[in-house]
Amino acid sequence: MLADAIRPHLSDSCTIDVLFPQGVDPHSYRPVPSDVQRLQRADAIVFNGLHLEANMESMFDFLSTQKPCISIAQFVPKSKLIPLDEHVYDPHIWFDILLFGQAGKQLADSLAKALNPALASPNTRFIDSLIQLDLFLRQSWAKRSKPDKSICSVHDAFSYYCRAYQLTQMSLQGVSTTAEFGVYEVDAMVEFLVKNNIRVAYTEVHSMAKTMKAVQLGCRQRGHAISIGPPLLTDAPAPGNNPGNHWPGMVLENSRILLTPIPYD
Ligand SMILES: [Zn+2]
């Protein structure tokens, strides 16, 4: 997501080496020895921050003594970050298209200043396309009424998306895919779906579908049929040539899934 947000504003002579393999979950990713070599070879390192790359923070701290190591999160105004507690903020900022797009432009500027000003290539057309996409999504969601303005999924990846388009979010795991969850969280989601007459819960590409089966069963036992929707793209774009294989295309692909009615039985 980060590479896609900064690439449009950098000249073609700048090579971006994306460290995480396609489709990988950044919450739980642990660097392998070849990653360390790639990080050492780079002229600069950019990362999301806000504890998303939880297992790599000490490495970024160490490398920041040798070369520019810049998080995109530092270009998001604090007032726009969603707090989880006093000092911790939700890291899923790429789901606010305008916020992440602007931060990506500023990060690219900062990177060019630190390395070589000739690398800067500001792209207002790209920012305009993000404004158009945001407007399209705003209008699409505004047509929906409750209960079709909720996202029930596995982990809390959609807080920024929900804030942007005035939706409600419910998840099993909280903000990280590494969080434990069990019967209590399944029961809470069943209660939420029944109480709000919501008829679909979504899995995520990184999650186990069987968890949502337990939610579906719980709902059925209470006489409330739900469907399990297609997996949403949360913490990585889709692999290969699949729809949503880049940012912001993954936001559009999720939106297409979420805005498509799904029959329940
Ligand atoms: Zn996540």
Side-chain angles (χ1 to χ4, degrees), residues 8-86:
H9 309 292
L10 293 170
S11 85
D12 293 341
S13 63
C14 183
T15 304
I16 301 178
D17 180 7
V18 179
L19 191 72
F20 291 172
Q22 242 182 352
V24 108
D25 177 359
H27 291 287
S28 56
Y29 186 76
R30 288 184 185 280
V32 297
S34 61
D35 292 342
V36 180
Q37 288 165 8
R38 287 160 71 192
L39 289 165
Q40 282 172 336
R41 265 203 310 269
D43 296 309
I45 294 163
V46 297
F47 59 103
N48 188 78
L50 304 173
H51 306 300
L52 178 74
E53 303 94 340
N55 297 315
M56 304 192 69
E57 289 179 348
S58 54
M59 193 177 299
F60 293 151
D61 283 346
F62 170 70
L63 289 165
S64 69
T65 62
Q66 303 172 355
K67 59 183 87 185
C69 283
I70 314 172
S71 78
I72 190 169
Q74 75 185 69
F75 297 99
V76 177
K78 218 171 194 176
S79 61
K80 297 281 174 78
L81 292 172
I82 295 179
L84 300 174
D85 66 32
E86 208 179 334

Side-chain angles (χ1 to χ4, degrees), residues 25 27 52 91-92 94 155-157 175-177 234-235:
D25 177 359
H27 291 287
L52 178 74
H92 302 89
W94 54 92
H155 90 295
D156 269 351
V175 86
S176 173
T177 53
T234 52
D235 296 334

Side-chain angles (χ1 to χ4, degrees), residues 18 25 32 43 53 55 69 74 104 108 110 132 138 140 142-143 155 160 166 174 204 220 223 240 245 253 262 264:
V18 179
D25 177 359
V32 297
D43 296 309
E53 303 94 340
N55 297 315
C69 283
Q74 75 185 69
S110 169
Q132 291 302 318
R138 207 168 286 280
S140 302
K143 289 178 199 155
H155 90 295
Y160 291 93
Q166 296 172 6
E204 294 169 20
R220 194 175 292 154
N245 63 356
E253 176 60 9
I262 297 171
Y264 56 89

